[in-house]
Amino acid sequence: MTVNKLLSIGSLLTAFIVFSCSQTKDSQPEKAEATIKEEKPLNVIFMIGDGMGLPQITSSFYYKGSPSNFEQFKNIGFIKTSSKSHKVTDSAGGATAFATGSKTYNRAISVSTDTTNMPTILEKLEEKNYKTGLISLTSITHATPACFYAHVKDRDMHEDIAAQLLTSGTDFFAGGGLKYFTKRADGKDLYGDFEKAGYIMDSTSLKNGLDADKKYGFLLAEEGIPSKIDGRGDFLLDATKVALEQLSASDSGYFLMVEGSYIDWGGHAKNAEMMVTEMLDFDKTLGYVLDYVESHENTLLVVTADHETGGVAIGKSDRADSVAVYFTTDQHTAELIPVFAKGEHEDDFRGIYENNEINHKLVDALGNIK
């Protein structure tokens, strides 16, 4: 082999080595970026329409006047809602299944059938430095929100539940129930205790532009926030906007539960106007959240209900161009309840399964709280 050929081969090898090193070096930032993206905490928005079965959702398709926001979902499942004690669950039994991953008896707030405390998803996330928030139209001590932070044997133990909210570490809460903080049978000023613990409390109005490093509590009614037909306005939507802005300002990840409480009350009262207006208010808030998820990666939205209320049917009315709402009961029913998911891990929520499986699916999606 001639000297010229050896020099030529050497030049080619040198060029190949330089090119390979250059490619490896250039690809490192991409790999690093991918690793950072994978490690970023998942954000979860969990919306619960209390008493919202498929008929209630159907009403939003007929009474809204524009497409229901539920039409945006592609991944849909169904849950079986029976509790350990009853085929027909109450909100406490249903929300405990969501919050803890285990079924229990009706009226229990995140305790087992022998009244042993069961850790909640909110408590587990607090230990991982997640930001957490709760929104309800009823008292913040009511069964659905309470199951995410409290542990008592009966849902009517409102003062005990309120006291446990103080130690839960929840970063944001908004709803009613002021009297359980300020007019307590034990004489304690729990509202003041929250302020001493560093919470910024407000009992008059919802505020915007919150500090990401502070905790907030908005208790805007003695018991429940008024219903839509009693003049509530856009509290559910506004509170959700404020909460998402405050919780998402941190890079630690967040979990927000939003309850549309009075869909259930409309069913209990057999009040079609109340049920429909509450359903449309929930749909309106859902529309905002869906847009939010679309523009914020690494976020999962799950929408479902604890049970159906009223045995509702959407049927024929006296007018050929409309439908009417019919009730078969003023109580809860055992209907299968739909589950809607959007965003990261949305495929995981398809199928038919028990209500406590929603918790397991959320924990699997979060990946770091088992």
Side-chain angles (χ1 to χ4, degrees), residues 169-235:
T170 304
D171 295 278
F172 177 99
F173 59 89
L178 179 63
K179 70 179 186 180
Y180 301 116
F181 297 75
T182 61
K183 300 176 181 178
R184 298 168 56 88
D186 59 14
K188 291 182 179 178
D189 176 18
L190 192 59
Y191 191 94
D193 290 342
F194 271 86
E195 292 179 320
K196 291 175 184 176
Y199 278 83
I200 297 175
M201 301 292 290
D202 201 313
S203 61
T204 59
S205 63
L206 196 63
K207 299 293 191 302
N208 293 304
L210 306 185
D211 189 329
D213 296 324
K214 298 185 183 300
K215 296 178 184 289
Y216 293 86
F218 297 94
L219 298 171
L220 305 184
E222 288 293 301
E223 183 61 72
I225 306 290
S227 66
K228 285 294 287 186
I229 59 176
D230 289 328
R232 180 175 70 239
D234 286 331
F235 171 82

Side-chain angles (χ1 to χ4, degrees), residues 4-265:
N4 287 337
K5 284 185 177 180
L6 286 172
L7 289 173
S8 178
I9 292 171
S11 297
L12 287 172
L13 286 172
T14 302
F16 176 75
I17 292 168
V18 170
F19 176 76
S20 298
C21 291
S22 175
Q23 287 293 95
T24 303
K25 183 178 180 181
D26 290 343
S27 65
Q28 285 176 349
E30 293 179 4
K31 289 181 179 179
E33 184 178 343
T35 301
I36 291 171
K37 185 175 180 181
E38 289 173 3
E39 293 176 354
K40 188 176 180 181
L42 177 69
N43 303 310
V44 175
I45 306 168
F46 189 26
M47 296 183 69
I48 301 174
D50 198 322
M52 183 185 72
L54 194 55
Q56 284 80 358
I57 294 169
T58 301
S59 74
S60 71
F61 284 72
Y62 288 99
Y63 288 95
K64 186 179 178 183
S66 60
S68 169
N69 285 303
F70 283 93
E71 290 190 33
Q72 298 185 46
F73 290 98
K74 304 301 180 186
N75 287 287
I76 304 168
F78 285 91
I79 51 172
K80 296 176 276 187
T81 62
S82 296
S83 70
K84 278 283 187 73
S85 62
H86 293 75
K87 292 294 184 184
V88 179
T89 192
D90 71 341
S91 293
T96 293
F98 295 153
T100 70
S102 298
K103 288 178 179 278
T104 189
Y105 61 93
N106 282 11
R107 303 193 67 83
I109 301 294
S110 290
V111 295
S112 63
T113 52
D114 63 358
T115 69
T116 300
N117 291 359
M118 299 190 293
T120 73
I121 190 169
L122 184 144
E123 291 169 333
K124 292 177 180 179
L125 287 172
E126 284 283 349
E127 293 177 357
K128 298 292 183 179
N129 296 317
Y130 264 65
K131 297 290 185 179
T132 56
L134 301 166
I135 297 170
S136 179
L137 298 175
T138 54
S139 170
I140 202 67
T141 63
H142 211 258
T144 300
C147 286
F148 287 87
Y149 65 85
H151 307 273
V152 295
K153 64 182 181 181
D154 189 273
R155 59 185 291 174
D156 283 345
M157 299 170 68
H158 290 280
E159 292 192 1
D160 293 318
I161 292 169
Q164 292 185 38
L165 180 58
L166 177 60
T167 58
S168 70
T170 304
D171 295 278
F172 177 99
F173 59 89
L178 179 63
K179 70 179 186 180
Y180 301 116
F181 297 75
T182 61
K183 300 176 181 178
R184 298 168 56 88
D186 59 14
K188 291 182 179 178
D189 176 18
L190 192 59
Y191 191 94
D193 290 342
F194 271 86
E195 292 179 320
K196 291 175 184 176
Y199 278 83
I200 297 175
M201 301 292 290
D202 201 313
S203 61
T204 59
S205 63
L206 196 63
K207 299 293 191 302
N208 293 304
L210 306 185
D211 189 329
D213 296 324
K214 298 185 183 300
K215 296 178 184 289
Y216 293 86
F218 297 94
L219 298 171
L220 305 184
E222 288 293 301
E223 183 61 72
I225 306 290
S227 66
K228 285 294 287 186
I229 59 176
D230 289 328
R232 180 175 70 239
D234 286 331
F235 171 82
L236 190 65
L237 174 59
D238 292 342
T240 301
K241 288 180 178 179
V242 170
L244 285 174
E245 180 182 353
Q246 197 259 346
L247 296 174
S248 65
S250 168
D251 292 329
S252 60
Y254 65 83
F255 176 91
L256 173 65
M257 191 285 294
V258 180
E259 182 195 18
S261 317
Y262 289 126
I263 302 168
D264 173 68
W265 290 42

Side-chain angles (χ1 to χ4, degrees), residues 275-308:
M275 187 209 82
V276 170
T277 54
E278 294 296 335
M279 189 64 236
L280 294 181
D281 187 52
F282 189 86
D283 183 274
K284 182 178 181 179
T285 305
L286 174 61
Y288 172 81
V289 176
L290 281 165
D291 289 344
Y292 178 92
V293 172
E294 191 71 29
S295 61
H296 290 76
E297 63 180 8
N298 209 46
T299 302
L300 168 64
L301 166 65
V302 177
V303 185
T304 191
D306 43 7
H307 53 73
E308 192 275 342

